């Protein structure tokens, strides 16, 4: 009996207008920052072509502005001239040569722009942008419509298969479609039909100009998640109007950038917003694409098989693993390097003007750079000591390059500090990272030695060509009187389950680990949030209820009453610095974590100095004032120290080891640096 094909719904071909797409996957659009660099077309071509070779059915580029007013900032990419179109030709050429299809996203940022010539539907500024937009005159709106069409025409000149017209996430077109920031009284404001007019005219005129062969996708805001956002019936009306105007497919986005509800961070359950896409699909004849926090072929296949969507958009999962589709098709989902939704090297890099990459895949966005790495000169014997993130990345990469690798781990399992991170609620995706690493060790035939700490003398005997010390960190023990009191618990013992916390807890240290510990402690609820309207998914229900997301069709923007849980514990987070805690958290995820913990009653104190722990609790001074916190448990999250004694011993024996990860530099635990460092070191062997 033949084996049924893996993920049949996801891998089934689909027709989008005049185009046959080989499967139901879309590599969704994302800002890459690569467009800012010299040789950008070459680098982007390599980036997208690798995803096409990996099986992506259809790819959407990052957004290109159709006029100078539309740019995200003064250096944002534009597609205004024929010369710009011709310069982009290598991108679709490379994707087509790799067997894929690619369309260009046409994007106007509107009031989100960081330019001096900011324009919008009205003069209502965004809460995340201090600049006030100039409302376009009616004639200027019609001119902007023409600019959209001209940009689409130039995309076809460049060789793209079509365009995605970006109307989601609170950008320019989304600003016109809602009353939140459209107070116009002309033909583009007021009634639903008028507010939708600009979108309908762009799609209609683009179809007329490009003809039936161009693939036209419209990205609709399925759920605005802001006050004054569109109710479901208005969203569906817009989708139907776009369909009638000539779109081949509708893609979905969720949440404006100014929304105070997370939509793509690790806190968000997988496919949390599919309900909003499903109700649009039921109203259409053309295909509908669902997006946001879909990162495994199992979830993607189930969504399509259920009929909730025709395709699945995954942006960051294709950063994490360019071969996502090929591995799924081969029946090897265990070999997929899964996106963990950390945002550290994608969105956070973009916010700091760095080209996007990926924590779990340092090659992402740097394909040309890694292709220039030297090929192995000969098969070498490599010893890697420590199976945390850095050691795992180094061992697997070295073995994949043909070297004989022995990996030593003092503990009973691989993962190091990752095993603690995966215990934190919301960070369950770290289980996937460890699954990927375990599969990689087996596939690359790394000789794994658990429960073994090799002696420096054994490593120095000459049997290894390279010795890598990746022994990680140990928790720093602060000099506080009573640090050995029974109330005191280290974060490692707490997260590993070796110690428990009481009902009243003080956490010393407000870095990333301190916030993770607070999340861990406040997750267990005395009273769970009441379910929202008509929800059935047990993992999604609590999230939507806690953040106040309504599934009711009439709810403007999809907002309802927030129903946070009532935690079992009271937690106070303490830090020495006088500034507000949480400054070092991720730019795109930290605000959501802080907001969730505040909803659950987290208290914070800054400017603390610690005196002692005794039966009465934690004695400290806050701004010079003496206080006693009557707590049952004091959790220590006071940083780390490098565990690199082995390296010193090896040097004493005449061996020059390579140090990576926490063994090389402690501080905040940094899987991004550790994986990048381990991978790059192995590429030099």
């Amino acid at each position: 009996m033949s084996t049924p094909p893996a993920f049949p719904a996801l891998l089934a071909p689909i027709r989008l207008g005049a185009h046959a797409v080989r499967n139901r996957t879309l590599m969704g659009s994302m800002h890459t920052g690569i467009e800012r660099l010299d040789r950008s077309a070459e680098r982007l071509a390599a980036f997208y072509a690798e995803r096409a070779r990996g099986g992506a059915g259809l790819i959407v580029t990052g957004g290109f502005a159709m006029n100078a007013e539309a740019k995200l900032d003064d250096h944002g990419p534009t597609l205004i001239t024929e010369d710009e179109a011709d310069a982009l030709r290598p991108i679709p050429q490379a994707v087509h040569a790799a067997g894929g299809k690619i369309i260009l996203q046409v994007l106007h940022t509107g009031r989100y722009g960081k330019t001096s010539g900011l324009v919008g539907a009205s003069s209502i500024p965004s809460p995340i942008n201090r600049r006030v937009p100039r409302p376009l005159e009616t004639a200027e709106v019609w001119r902007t419509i023409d600019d959209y069409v001209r940009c689409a025409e130039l995309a076809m000149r460049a060789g793209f298969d079509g365009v995605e017209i970006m109307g989601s996430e609170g950008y320019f077109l989304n600003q016109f479609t809602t009353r939140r920031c459209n107070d116009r009284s002309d033909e583009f404001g007021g009634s639903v039909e008028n507010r939708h007019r600009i979108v309908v005219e762009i799609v209609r005129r683009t179809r007329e100009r490009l003809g039936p062969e161009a693939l036209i996708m419209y990205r609709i805001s399925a759920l605005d998640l802001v006050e004054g956002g569109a109710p479901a019936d208005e969203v569906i009306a817009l989708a139907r109007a776009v369909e009638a105007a000539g779109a081949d497919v509708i893609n979905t986005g969720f949440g404006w950038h100014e929304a105070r509800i997370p939509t793509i961070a690790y806190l968000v359950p997988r496919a949390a917003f599919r309900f909003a896409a499903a109700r649009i699909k039921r109203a259409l004849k053309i295909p509908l694409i669902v997006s946001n926090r879909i990162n495994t072929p199992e979830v993607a296949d189930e969504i399509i098989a259920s009929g909730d969507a025709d395709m699945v958009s995954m942006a960051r999962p294709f950063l994490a693993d360019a071969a996502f589709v090929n591995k799924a098709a081969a029946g090897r989902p265990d070999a997929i390097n899964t996106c963990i939704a950390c945002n550290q090297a994608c969105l956070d890099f973009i916010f700091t003007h760095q080209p996007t990459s990926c924590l779990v895949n340092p090659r992402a966005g740097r394909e040309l750079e890694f292709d220039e790495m030297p090929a192995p000169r000969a098969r070498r014997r490599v010893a890697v000591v420590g199976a945390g993130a850095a050691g795992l990345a180094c061992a697997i990469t070295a073995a994949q390059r043909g070297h004989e690798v022995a990996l030593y781990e003092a503990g009973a399992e691989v993962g190091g500090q990752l095993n603690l991170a995966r215990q934190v609620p919301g960070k369950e995706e770290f289980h996937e990272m460890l699954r990927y690493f375990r599969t990689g060790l087996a596939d690359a035939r790394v000789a794994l030695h658990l429960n073994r700490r090799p002696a420096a003398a054994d490593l120095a005997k000459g049997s290894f060509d390279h010795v890598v010390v990746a022994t990680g960190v140990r928790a720093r023990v602060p000099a506080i009187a009573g640090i050995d009191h029974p109330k005191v618990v280290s974060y490692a013992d707490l997260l590993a389950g070796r110690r428990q916390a009481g009902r009243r807890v003080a956490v010393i240290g407000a870095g990333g680990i301190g916030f993770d510990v607070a999340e861990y402690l406040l997750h267990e609820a005395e009273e769970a949030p009441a379910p929202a309207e008509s929800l059935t998914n047990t993992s999604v229900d609590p999230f939507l209820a806690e953040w106040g997301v309504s599934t009711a069709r009439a709810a403007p923007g999809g907002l309802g009453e927030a129903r946070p849980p009532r935690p079992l514990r009271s937690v106070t987070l303490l830090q020495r610095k006088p500034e507000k805690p949480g400054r070092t958290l991720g730019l795109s995820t930290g605000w959501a974590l802080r907001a969730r913990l505040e909803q659950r009653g987290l208290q914070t104190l800054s400017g603390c100095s610690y005196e002692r722990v005794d039966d009465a609790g934690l004695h400290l001074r806050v701004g010079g004032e003496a206080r006693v916190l009557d707590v049952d448990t004091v959790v220590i999250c006071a940083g780390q120290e490098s565990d690199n004694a082995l390296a010193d011993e090896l040097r004493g024996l005449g061996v020059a080891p390579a140090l990576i990860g926490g063994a090389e530099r402690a501080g905040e635990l940094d899987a991004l640096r550790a994986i990048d460092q381990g991978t790059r070191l192995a590429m030099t062997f």
Side-chain angles (χ1 to χ4, degrees):
M1 185 172 64
S2 61
T3 303
F7 313 110
L10 180 66
L11 299 174
I14 188 171
R15 192 89 187 169
L16 302 180
H19 292 261
V21 178
R22 56 188 172 182
N23 56 58
R24 305 298 182 99
T25 65
L26 173 75
M27 179 183 172
S29 175
M30 69 186 92
H31 300 297
T32 67
I34 299 173
E35 298 89 348
R36 299 170 180 270
L37 305 176
D38 294 336
R39 300 163 61 206
S40 63
E42 182 184 2
R43 186 165 172 175
L44 279 171
F47 172 70
Y48 289 123
E50 183 151 313
R51 274 79 200 159
R53 282 192 296 274
L58 177 64
I59 295 170
V60 186
T61 70
F64 284 78
M66 77 298 301
N67 60 36
E69 299 166 338
K71 294 191 295 183
L72 181 62
D73 56 38
D74 291 334
H75 304 287
T78 59
L79 181 52
I80 301 173
T81 68
E82 291 184 352
D83 286 345
E84 287 177 327
D86 293 342
L88 294 176
R89 285 183 182 275
I91 298 171
Q93 287 173 350
V95 170
H96 293 154
K101 288 182 178 289
I102 185 168
I103 61 178
L104 178 137
Q105 186 188 80
V106 185
L107 169 67
H108 193 314
T109 58
R111 68 178 192 163
Y112 284 160
K114 303 295 194 296
T115 64
S116 57
L118 197 66
V119 300
S122 303
S123 59
I124 304 170
S126 165
I128 60 172
N129 190 357
R130 60 180 175 81
R131 297 169 177 82
V132 177
R134 177 183 66 82
L136 291 174
E137 300 289 341
T138 303
E140 291 178 303
V141 177
W142 286 109
R143 185 259 299 161
T144 301
I145 292 171
D146 290 338
D147 291 342
Y148 269 91
V149 178
R150 173 61 174 159
C151 184
E153 191 174 41
L154 290 170
M156 299 304 291
R157 175 188 174 95
F160 290 94
D161 297 295
V163 292
E164 178 181 67
I165 299 166
M166 177 54 159
S168 184
E169 269 76 7
Y171 286 118
F172 180 76
L173 295 181
N174 210 174
Q175 294 160 24
F176 269 83
T177 60
T178 64
R179 295 187 183 277
R180 177 176 174 85
C181 45
N182 182 346
D183 59 7
R184 304 177 70 94
S185 58
D186 65 356
E187 62 218 82
F188 297 103
S191 69
V192 172
E193 182 181 5
N194 281 357
R195 285 184 277 117
H196 291 175
R197 188 183 307 279
I198 185 173
V199 173
V200 174
E201 285 297 321
I202 289 170
V203 174
R204 182 180 66 80
R205 294 179 181 211
T206 300
R207 175 58 71 202
E208 288 176 354
R209 182 75 61 85
L210 301 187
E213 294 304 313
L215 197 165
I216 298 178
M217 176 188 295
Y218 182 74
R219 184 163 173 180
I220 198 168
S221 180
L223 208 60
D224 292 331
L225 299 179
V226 290
E227 293 182 4
D233 286 344
E234 286 192 13
V235 175
I236 290 169
L238 177 59
R240 284 173 166 160
V242 166
E243 178 181 48
D248 296 307
V249 56
I250 289 181
N251 192 9
T252 52
F254 302 93
W256 289 28
H257 288 317
E258 63 207 60
R260 304 310 294 168
I261 296 170
T263 55
I264 60 174
Y266 62 85
L267 300 170
V268 182
R270 293 174 180 173
F273 304 106
R274 65 187 280 186
F275 72 90
R279 64 191 177 199
I280 300 172
K281 173 177 165 46
R282 290 192 289 269
L284 299 176
K285 295 183 178 64
I286 60 174
L288 187 284
I289 304 173
V290 66
S291 67
N292 285 53
R293 284 292 284 124
I294 300 166
N295 64 344
T296 71
E298 291 86 355
V299 173
D301 190 76
E302 186 276 322
I303 290 172
I304 296 168
S306 74
D308 283 352
D310 300 285
M311 294 181 68
V312 167
S313 174
M314 297 176 286
R316 296 170 304 161
F318 280 108
L319 283 179
D321 198 328
F324 181 104
V325 177
N326 286 351
K327 291 177 180 179
R332 291 296 313 276
D334 59 319
I336 293 174
N337 199 359
T338 303
C339 169
I340 62 172
C342 67
N343 293 356
Q344 287 182 239
C346 48
L347 287 181
D348 288 357
F349 272 22
I350 290 298
F351 291 152
T352 53
H353 307 294
Q354 301 176 72
T356 194
S357 188
C358 180
L359 180 147
V360 302
N361 177 21
R363 180 182 168 85
R366 302 160 175 166
E367 287 75 17
L368 295 179
E369 181 182 338
F370 274 80
D371 279 349
E372 294 171 357
M373 292 285 190
R377 295 184 297 275
R379 181 177 171 85
R380 306 288 186 181
R381 296 198 67 226
V382 180
V384 180
V385 184
L392 288 165
C394 183
I396 292 170
T397 304
Q400 288 171 339
R401 284 169 61 79
H403 300 302
E404 182 182 345
V405 180
L407 176 62
Y408 299 93
E409 168 54 43
E413 59 182 339
V414 302
Q417 298 285 320
L418 299 178
N419 287 306
L420 302 181
R422 63 180 172 147
Q423 305 305 320
V424 178
K427 290 193 171 182
E428 289 84 1
E429 299 294 5
F430 278 85
H431 290 280
E432 301 291 350
M433 185 193 293
L434 285 169
R435 180 264 309 148
Y436 168 75
F437 277 135
R438 293 188 193 103
T439 300
L441 291 173
D443 287 350
R445 298 185 178 181
V446 173
L448 176 62
H449 305 279
L450 296 174
N451 297 306
R452 184 166 173 199
R453 187 189 300 270
D458 294 333
L459 295 170
K461 287 179 179 177
S463 58
F464 293 107
D465 301 293
H466 300 282
V467 177
V468 180
V469 174
T471 42
V473 298
R474 55 178 174 267
R476 190 174 71 84
V477 181
I480 301 173
I483 196 69
D484 56 352
H485 191 277
K487 288 179 181 285
V488 178
V489 177
S490 75
Y491 76 85
D493 284 343
L494 179 72
L495 294 178
R498 293 187 291 267
R499 295 283 304 276
Q500 303 298 313
R503 297 287 291 259
R504 299 164 301 169
V505 184
V507 178
I508 292 179
I513 297 173
F515 273 89
D516 277 353
V517 166
E519 179 75 12
Y520 178 85
L521 292 168
L522 290 171
H523 184 75
E524 190 177 358
E526 185 175 274
E527 181 179 318
E533 306 90 343
S534 66
L535 298 177
T536 57
N537 188 311
T538 55
S539 65
V540 172
D541 288 3
F543 169 82
L544 299 182
E546 179 173 358
W547 287 95
V549 179
S550 173
T551 62
R553 289 174 67 100
L559 295 183
E561 179 188 357
R563 304 180 183 91
R566 184 182 301 165
L568 281 172
R569 297 182 178 88
S570 64
V571 177
T572 303
L573 189 64
L574 313 169
Q575 72 172 20
R576 291 185 183 275
K577 295 178 181 177
E579 64 196 27
K580 185 177 181 179
R583 186 181 58 82
T584 61
L585 298 177
L587 291 174
S588 59
T589 56
W591 69 268
L593 178 56
R594 288 191 297 268
R596 181 153 86 166
L597 290 173
E598 287 172 10
Q599 288 175 343
R600 296 182 179 203
L602 177 69
Q603 300 295 310
T604 61
L605 291 174
S606 301
C608 301
S609 59
Y610 313 109
E611 296 185 340
R612 67 183 184 280
V613 180
D614 60 21
D615 291 346
L618 174 62
H619 299 252
L620 72 163
R621 289 185 176 272
V622 182
E625 178 186 349
R627 296 181 61 174
V628 179
L629 296 183
D630 181 12
V631 293
D632 307 304
T633 308
V634 178
V635 182
I636 305 298
C637 307
Q640 300 81 35
E641 298 171 336
S642 294
D643 183 2
N644 53 20
L646 176 63
D648 292 336
E649 293 178 35
L650 286 167
R651 292 190 193 99
L653 295 172
V655 176
L659 268 74
I660 56 175
E664 186 263 335
R665 186 169 79 242
E668 285 286 332
L669 297 181
D670 191 350
L672 170 61
R673 180 177 64 88
I675 293 172
D676 182 83
Q677 201 174 33
T679 302
R680 289 179 182 275
L681 175 64
M683 295 292 286
T684 66
F685 294 157

